[in-house]
Amino acid sequence: KLFYDYLDSTDFYISPVTPEARSRMNIPFFLQDSALDAAFLEGAERHGMRQLKGHRVVGGMRASLYNAMPIESVQVLVDVMQTLENQHAS
């Protein structure tokens, strides 16, 4: 809920999945400006988050939030996303 609430509150990131079809574990998303993909991945990496790059054909990002993922880690991911948005939002 925390992650989807953030995605739904911003135009900086895009969720390509309709709310009724969303997964609770694998969450694909895109940056509105794909030129910022590398900056997003670098920021995530600095916070110990890896493997967020989406499928090599589809692109975008994918967060895997399995049962063992603590809510604090999801909050760090949202914080990283907000930081990038604050730095680059027009």
Side-chain angles (χ1 to χ4, degrees):
K1 182 172 178 350
L2 172 64
F3 192 81
Y4 279 122
D5 283 351
Y6 176 66
L7 278 179
D8 291 340
S9 73
T10 181
D11 292 329
F12 194 78
Y13 299 94
I14 301 164
S15 174
V17 182
T18 60
E20 59 275 359
R22 289 176 171 176
S23 170
R24 293 173 59 196
M25 292 190 204
N26 290 304
I27 304 172
F29 62 98
F30 294 84
L31 283 86
Q32 184 78 312
D33 180 356
S34 62
L36 295 173
D37 286 359
F40 170 78
L41 291 169
E42 289 169 13
E45 179 86 21
R46 283 193 302 273
H47 287 86
M49 292 178 277
R50 295 171 180 80
Q51 306 297 324
L52 286 164
K53 187 173 182 180
H55 190 275
R56 68 187 184 313
V57 174
V58 177
M61 305 297 157
R62 184 186 75 181
S64 295
L65 307 177
Y66 292 96
N67 294 338
M69 175 69 71
I71 191 69
E72 294 83 6
S73 296
V74 178
Q75 184 62 61
V76 170
L77 177 55
V78 170
D79 291 346
V80 167
M81 294 172 74
Q82 287 175 322
T83 298
L84 186 69
E85 181 176 3
N86 292 339
Q87 291 170 345
H88 295 280
S90 49

